[in-house]
Amino acid sequence: MKKTRVFGISGSHRIGKTTTFDFLKRDVELRGGISNTERPVFIGEFADCILKQMGLREDWEDFAESKLPYKLFEQALDLLWFSAMIHYEGRIIIADRTPVDHQAYKKRAGLSVVDNLKSIFALHNIEVFTFLLRAPWEDKEVAEDILHYLEENDLDYEQVHLYQGVNFMEVARKIEEKIKNKISEREK
């Protein structure tokens, strides 16, 4: 069975994840793929779409204060993610956020987190690599929670440092190169 490879763009809210993801998606689709063998699947941010549909996008922080509804919301995000990763078995997935982000947000809200995420990924033959965007304008607590979760669970990641006036198209191209390198390393 071929391994599912997930490359996620993570970080705190309003740091530039979706902007980077959109540039990356556009460039890869224009060139017809990221590797010689297949076109990746692109998965946008579930939470943002669902919050908009629920009419809660602007008030998401208030929503996160309501324990039971927020807990159910985060559980739904986990289920959506796992169903997508299992559905795209053996494919390359490039994502705007991953279950890693959800775990960090759940922890911040005092909810229980999945402590054995790496084992669950391994059970389903899923490999996840996270590009953690960091910047002076980030929500430091959220970014540190994501970083802590990655390290605590021995998950593969790389921090990508941004600066004021950053060219997100360049950030996307650098991430694309790193993805290509990771794919070619595994194919050897």
Side-chain angles (χ1 to χ4, degrees):
M1 174 162 73
K2 191 174 170 189
K3 191 174 284 272
T4 304
R5 315 264 319 272
V6 179
F7 295 95
I9 300 172
S10 293
S12 73
H13 42 279
R14 292 185 170 80
I15 195 167
K17 293 175 307 299
T18 301
T19 303
T20 302
F21 173 83
D22 289 344
F23 277 122
L24 181 58
K25 180 180 180 191
R26 187 200 68 195
D27 286 355
V28 169
E29 287 178 342
L30 283 173
R31 281 193 292 290
I34 206 156
S35 77
N36 296 333
T37 56
E38 69 177 279
R39 296 174 68 116
V41 174
F42 288 91
I43 298 178
E45 184 183 350
F46 290 129
D48 185 60
C49 295
I50 295 168
L51 287 169
K52 284 177 183 171
Q53 291 297 316
M54 293 171 66
L56 294 170
R57 181 63 185 105
E58 299 307 315
D59 300 322
W60 72 269
E61 289 171 319
D62 291 336
F63 176 62
E65 297 293 320
S66 55
K67 291 290 186 206
L68 181 59
Y70 188 67
K71 176 181 178 180
L72 296 171
F73 174 76
E74 286 292 347
Q75 288 174 342
L77 291 177
D78 286 342
L79 291 172
L80 285 169
W81 251 109
F82 284 109
S83 67
M85 289 187 289
I86 291 168
H87 174 74
Y88 291 115
E89 178 183 320
R91 301 281 308 271
I92 295 170
I93 299 171
I94 299 174
D96 182 353
R97 292 209 184 269
T98 68
V100 170
D101 297 78
H102 303 159
Q103 304 315 307
Y105 276 95
K106 285 194 300 191
K107 189 173 185 177
R108 287 185 58 71
L111 302 173
S112 60
V113 298
V114 178
D115 289 324
N116 59 342
L117 199 55
K118 191 170 187 169
S119 299
I120 293 170
F121 289 154
L123 178 67
H124 294 285
N125 206 22
I126 298 167
E127 183 177 284
V128 177
F129 187 90
T130 301
F131 293 98
L132 176 58
L133 302 187
R134 304 295 306 263
W137 61 88
E138 72 187 2
D139 180 325
K140 292 217 183 305
E141 289 180 10
V142 171
E144 288 298 318
D145 284 347
I146 295 169
L147 178 61
H148 184 70
Y149 187 84
L150 287 162
E151 291 176 344
E152 206 172 61
N153 290 277
D154 194 31
L155 297 166
D156 294 327
Y157 73 94
E158 178 179 323
Q159 294 187 66
V160 178
H161 294 275
L162 309 176
Y163 52 88
Q164 201 64 39
V166 66
N167 180 334
F168 284 101
M169 189 181 307
E170 275 304 307
V171 173
R173 287 189 179 135
K174 287 178 183 175
I175 289 174
E176 180 182 356
E177 280 306 308
K178 291 175 183 193
I179 292 171
K180 285 180 183 178
N181 291 340
K182 297 247 175 244
I183 291 168
S184 64
E185 285 171 14
R186 293 285 188 223
E187 291 175 350
K188 289 180 182 177

XYZ file of all heavy atoms in Angstrom, residues 93-136:
352
model
N -1.019 15.121 -0.592
C -1.998 16.137 -0.208
C -1.233 17.366 0.265
O -0.309 17.260 1.072
C -2.910 15.636 0.936
C -3.705 14.404 0.494
C -3.833 16.751 1.415
C -4.464 13.732 1.629
N -1.627 18.525 -0.246
C -1.087 19.798 0.236
C -2.256 20.523 0.882
O -3.315 20.670 0.267
C -0.458 20.623 -0.901
C 0.706 19.839 -1.522
C -0.001 21.986 -0.379
C 1.314 20.492 -2.744
N -2.061 20.943 2.142
C -3.198 21.423 2.920
C -2.939 22.746 3.628
O -1.831 23.018 4.078
C -3.570 20.366 3.951
N -4.013 23.523 3.703
C -4.053 24.733 4.515
C -4.586 24.291 5.870
O -5.780 24.105 6.038
C -4.986 25.744 3.849
C -5.066 27.078 4.576
O -4.505 27.190 5.686
O -5.713 27.993 4.034
N -3.689 24.050 6.800
C -3.944 23.501 8.137
C -4.076 21.988 8.065
O -4.374 21.427 7.022
C -5.191 24.084 8.798
C -5.062 25.537 9.170
C -5.953 25.814 10.368
N -5.980 27.196 10.759
C -5.158 27.734 11.649
N -4.224 27.016 12.206
N -5.264 28.995 11.981
N -3.824 21.342 9.204
C -3.934 19.886 9.331
C -4.479 19.573 10.726
O -4.683 20.493 11.522
C -2.556 19.194 9.168
O -1.737 19.519 10.284
C -1.868 19.571 7.865
N -4.668 18.296 11.056
C -5.122 17.966 12.415
C -4.185 18.472 13.510
O -4.607 18.641 14.652
C -5.172 16.437 12.408
C -5.415 16.073 10.992
C -4.645 17.103 10.196
N -2.931 18.735 13.175
C -1.987 19.272 14.158
C -2.502 20.608 14.697
O -2.523 20.838 15.906
C -0.581 19.444 13.535
C 0.343 20.225 14.450
C 0.002 18.089 13.178
N -2.955 21.480 13.802
C -3.491 22.780 14.223
C -4.705 22.589 15.122
O -4.845 23.264 16.138
C -3.917 23.609 13.003
C -2.770 23.943 12.103
O -2.352 23.065 11.327
O -2.290 25.076 12.162
N -5.589 21.660 14.721
C -6.805 21.440 15.509
C -6.473 21.012 16.928
O -7.128 21.440 17.875
C -7.693 20.389 14.843
C -8.072 20.741 13.445
N -8.477 19.815 12.544
C -8.085 21.919 12.788
C -8.721 20.400 11.387
N -8.490 21.674 11.517
N -5.458 20.164 17.065
C -5.086 19.698 18.406
C -4.599 20.869 19.260
O -4.935 20.973 20.438
C -4.018 18.602 18.334
C -4.386 17.400 17.501
C -5.784 16.884 17.749
O -6.174 16.618 18.874
N -6.560 16.739 16.681
N -3.814 21.749 18.659
C -3.308 22.909 19.410
C -4.454 23.825 19.837
O -4.479 24.312 20.977
C -2.290 23.676 18.567
N -5.409 24.049 18.946
C -6.560 24.899 19.305
C -7.422 24.226 20.374
O -7.939 24.898 21.268
C -7.393 25.247 18.062
C -6.856 26.436 17.309
C -6.005 26.271 16.232
C -7.197 27.733 17.688
C -5.502 27.368 15.540
C -6.701 28.834 17.007
C -5.857 28.646 15.932
O -5.359 29.738 15.262
N -7.581 22.902 20.285
C -8.355 22.193 21.310
C -7.669 22.316 22.668
O -8.318 22.561 23.683
C -8.523 20.714 20.937
C -9.526 20.492 19.829
C -9.962 19.061 19.661
C -8.900 18.098 19.348
N -9.391 16.772 18.954
N -6.353 22.169 22.671
C -5.603 22.267 23.926
C -5.781 23.655 24.539
O -5.982 23.786 25.743
C -4.134 21.957 23.661
C -3.305 21.828 24.908
C -1.900 21.364 24.576
C -1.107 21.128 25.832
N 0.219 20.614 25.544
N -5.722 24.687 23.712
C -5.903 26.060 24.186
C -7.274 26.257 24.820
O -7.443 27.036 25.745
C -5.758 27.064 23.045
C -4.352 27.256 22.578
C -4.243 28.356 21.537
N -4.726 29.646 21.999
C -4.120 30.414 22.898
N -3.000 30.016 23.449
N -4.615 31.573 23.238
N -8.271 25.538 24.293
C -9.643 25.673 24.800
C -9.909 24.751 25.987
O -11.031 24.692 26.488
C -10.635 25.378 23.676
N -8.882 24.019 26.418
C -9.044 23.122 27.557
C -9.748 21.821 27.199
O -10.270 21.132 28.077
N -9.776 21.487 25.920
C -10.413 20.245 25.465
C -9.364 19.147 25.361
O -8.169 19.414 25.257
C -11.070 20.472 24.098
C -12.118 21.588 24.038
C -12.563 21.813 22.595
C -13.302 21.270 24.933
N -9.811 17.920 25.355
C -8.866 16.807 25.231
C -8.320 16.755 23.803
O -9.022 17.065 22.840
C -9.531 15.484 25.606
O -10.623 15.232 24.769
N -7.060 16.372 23.705
C -6.388 16.306 22.409
C -6.014 14.862 22.091
O -5.993 14.008 22.976
C -5.115 17.187 22.371
C -5.452 18.642 22.578
C -4.094 16.720 23.385
N -5.729 14.624 20.827
C -5.266 13.309 20.396
C -3.772 13.256 20.678
O -2.988 13.949 20.038
C -5.551 13.084 18.893
C -5.022 11.738 18.442
C -7.031 13.215 18.598
N -3.376 12.463 21.668
C -1.970 12.396 22.062
C -1.155 11.425 21.222
O 0.061 11.440 21.267
C -1.851 11.992 23.536
C -2.298 13.109 24.467
O -2.059 14.281 24.144
O -2.887 12.795 25.513
N -1.821 10.584 20.478
C -1.116 9.569 19.696
C -1.328 9.774 18.196
O -1.485 8.826 17.446
C -1.574 8.174 20.118
C -3.070 7.983 19.926
O -3.817 8.946 19.799
N -3.501 6.743 19.910
N -1.318 11.035 17.755
C -1.576 11.360 16.357
C -0.601 10.640 15.417
O -1.012 10.110 14.386
C -1.506 12.874 16.152
C -2.168 13.443 14.913
C -3.628 13.036 14.820
C -2.061 14.959 14.908
N 0.667 10.595 15.801
C 1.656 9.929 14.948
C 1.321 8.436 14.785
O 1.451 7.887 13.694
C 3.063 10.107 15.526
C 4.153 9.678 14.577
C 5.505 10.100 15.077
C 6.558 9.803 14.036
N 7.829 10.410 14.362
N 0.866 7.801 15.836
C 0.472 6.389 15.763
C -0.742 6.198 14.861
O -0.821 5.236 14.102
C 0.147 5.844 17.147
O 1.275 5.921 17.969
N -1.694 7.127 14.974
C -2.883 7.047 14.116
C -2.485 7.223 12.656
O -2.950 6.487 11.781
C -3.930 8.094 14.548
C -4.470 7.742 15.937
C -5.067 8.178 13.531
C -5.319 8.824 16.571
N -1.613 8.197 12.388
C -1.122 8.370 11.017
C -0.446 7.093 10.532
O -0.702 6.621 9.419
C -0.126 9.536 10.935
C -0.734 10.905 11.093
C 0.037 11.952 11.570
C -2.049 11.165 10.769
C -0.489 13.232 11.706
C -2.598 12.442 10.905
C -1.811 13.465 11.373
N 0.431 6.524 11.350
C 1.165 5.314 10.956
C 0.215 4.150 10.693
O 0.409 3.393 9.731
C 2.183 4.939 12.031
N -0.814 4.031 11.510
C -1.797 2.958 11.338
C -2.463 3.011 9.960
O -2.743 1.984 9.353
C -2.861 3.057 12.444
C -3.993 2.043 12.406
C -3.457 0.637 12.687
C -5.067 2.409 13.420
N -2.671 4.225 9.468
C -3.327 4.415 8.165
C -2.329 4.716 7.043
O -2.729 5.138 5.958
C -4.367 5.527 8.264
C -5.515 5.173 9.153
N -6.506 4.304 8.777
C -5.790 5.531 10.434
C -7.365 4.160 9.769
N -6.950 4.883 10.785
N -1.036 4.497 7.324
C 0.021 4.704 6.337
C 0.032 6.152 5.808
O 0.098 6.383 4.608
C -0.109 3.693 5.192
C 1.217 3.438 4.520
O 2.275 3.655 5.093
N 1.163 2.988 3.276
N -0.067 7.082 6.747
C -0.084 8.512 6.430
C 1.167 9.147 7.012
O 1.518 8.910 8.160
C -1.336 9.192 7.028
C -2.613 8.598 6.429
C -1.288 10.704 6.828
C -3.878 8.976 7.178
N 1.821 9.947 6.208
C 2.997 10.691 6.653
C 2.676 12.172 6.531
O 2.244 12.631 5.479
C 4.172 10.326 5.743
C 5.472 10.942 6.111
C 6.556 10.453 5.173
O 7.009 9.307 5.325
O 6.930 11.239 4.271
N 2.861 12.921 7.615
C 2.536 14.347 7.629
C 3.797 15.157 7.883
O 4.560 14.864 8.799
C 1.477 14.671 8.703
C 1.204 16.173 8.768
C 0.184 13.912 8.431
N 4.000 16.175 7.057
C 5.090 17.124 7.265
C 4.448 18.502 7.354
O 3.656 18.885 6.493
C 6.110 17.090 6.122
C 7.310 17.929 6.415
C 8.405 17.388 7.064
C 7.322 19.279 6.084
C 9.517 18.174 7.368
C 8.425 20.075 6.377
C 9.522 19.515 7.015
N 4.803 19.258 8.377
C 4.201 20.564 8.634
C 5.194 21.686 8.377
O 6.323 21.649 8.871
C 3.705 20.640 10.093
O 2.749 19.600 10.304
C 3.078 21.980 10.398
N 4.756 22.677 7.610
C 5.488 23.926 7.459
C 4.814 24.915 8.405
O 3.684 25.351 8.171
C 5.428 24.441 6.017
C 6.161 23.562 5.050
C 5.479 22.630 4.287
C 7.531 23.662 4.908
C 6.148 21.810 3.394
C 8.225 22.844 4.030
C 7.520 21.912 3.265
N 5.488 25.235 9.511
C 4.928 26.117 10.533
C 5.374 27.547 10.245
O 6.551 27.889 10.409
C 5.391 25.673 11.923
C 4.961 26.542 13.101
C 3.442 26.671 13.179
C 5.528 25.979 14.401
N 4.429 28.374 9.781
C 4.735 29.771 9.490
C 4.842 30.551 10.796
O 3.979 30.451 11.667
C 3.650 30.393 8.603
C 3.375 29.738 7.249
C 2.389 30.582 6.445
C 4.650 29.500 6.457
N 5.920 31.313 10.918
C 6.170 32.144 12.102
C 6.434 33.576 11.637
O 7.056 33.779 10.599
C 7.401 31.642 12.871
C 7.381 30.196 13.306
C 6.305 29.861 14.325
N 6.285 30.679 15.512
C 6.849 30.349 16.671
N 7.494 29.200 16.794
N 6.760 31.145 17.717
N 5.962 34.550 12.415
C 6.166 35.958 12.050
C 5.972 36.841 13.273
O 5.329 36.441 14.245
C 5.163 36.356 10.958
N 6.517 38.056 13.218
C 6.345 38.978 14.348
C 4.874 39.284 14.655
O 4.527 39.582 15.788
C 7.079 40.245 13.886
C 8.072 39.762 12.880
C 7.422 38.592 12.195
